[in-house]
Amino acid sequence: MTIPEVPQHEPGSGVPRDSSPADGAAIQQRQSSVLIPAATDGEAPSPPPKRYSKPYIFGAIGLVIGLLLGVLGTVTVGGMVEAGKASAAAEAEAKKPKPLADAVNKCQLSGKAISAKLGDEGRSLSLDGKGEDDLNGLAWSDIQCALKAVNVPDYVQEQMKSTRALDGTQRESWDNFSVSWSYHPNTGMNVVLRFTDV
């Protein structure tokens, strides 16, 4: 249905401009077909009801904000949990015994890094002894200090002292430790200690 065009009215007359008074009745009839509410008993006509789209917009914005806050909260809580786990793991790692690193410190071998090397995140220690051709190696007393610091049994130390070049690499283990060593007069005693934390 098309709405007819309503011509401009002269103020206070209710008659359109450029029209005769006879046209006034026809215009009023057209106005009533356009469904403009008529005034009753001196009251002004009430305007047609407005349709509000703002509540829908506010609802959609609220939904989007709620979703974003939910995702952000989930990510934040998840990140905090992971950070807590990482912190707990780092703290547990820091509390683990580090007997080989302690032996290096106790025997003051850290300044002799060429001959005393910590490896495997502190779980292995390589000791390179002094020999006839290897003058940069550790003295037997330095090696013995490190062995005592990790409680190498006396029988293992005796086996080490009596090792010959022909014996090749020897191995022994105790508690959470293992050791391998070899000896040659030219290169000296070479020892590798390993620690396995339980």
Side-chain angles (χ1 to χ4, degrees):
M1 169 174 148
T2 59
I3 299 175
E5 191 174 296
V6 178
Q8 296 286 328
H9 289 72
E10 284 292 322
S13 71
V15 178
R17 291 182 198 159
D18 302 331
S19 65
S20 66
D23 292 336
I27 291 172
Q28 283 183 348
Q29 187 177 8
R30 267 190 278 158
Q31 284 178 345
S32 62
S33 66
V34 177
L35 300 176
I36 296 175
T40 57
D41 296 334
E43 293 179 14
S46 61
K50 293 183 180 179
R51 290 189 176 182
Y52 290 101
S53 61
K54 290 181 184 177
Y56 299 114
I57 292 171
F58 290 131
I61 291 171
L63 179 64
V64 169
I65 290 173
L67 287 172
L68 289 175
L69 288 176
V71 168
L72 180 63
T74 301
V75 169
T76 302
V77 169
M80 290 171 52
V81 168
E82 289 301 318
K85 286 180 183 178
S87 176
E91 192 174 309
E93 185 66 28
K95 289 182 180 181
K96 284 184 179 178
K98 303 214 182 319
L100 297 177
D102 294 343
V104 167
N105 292 332
K106 180 179 179 180
C107 299
Q108 300 175 353
L109 300 177
S110 57
K112 302 172 184 179
I114 293 173
S115 302
K117 297 176 186 173
L118 276 170
D120 301 313
E121 298 177 1
R123 291 184 178 90
S124 68
L125 174 60
S126 300
L127 303 169
D128 178 24
K130 189 181 290 187
E132 293 172 5
D133 297 336
D134 184 10
L135 301 177
N136 291 328
L138 298 171
W140 173 249
S141 60
D142 290 333
I143 293 174
Q144 202 168 22
C145 177
L147 297 174
K148 287 181 180 178
V150 295
N151 298 319
V152 173
D154 292 336
Y155 76 91
V156 175
Q157 291 185 49
E158 290 302 318
Q159 286 177 338
M160 293 173 95
K161 287 182 201 176
S162 63
T163 301
R164 304 170 299 158
L166 296 172
D167 295 335
T169 301
Q170 303 293 304
R171 290 177 173 72
E172 193 62 61
S173 61
W174 70 100
D175 299 332
N176 293 341
F177 291 94
S178 64
V179 63
S180 60
W181 71 92
S182 62
Y183 173 79
H184 192 279
N186 295 338
T187 58
M189 177 71 70
N190 294 306
V191 178
V192 178
L193 288 162
R194 290 182 191 87
F195 174 68
T196 308
D197 50 336
V198 180

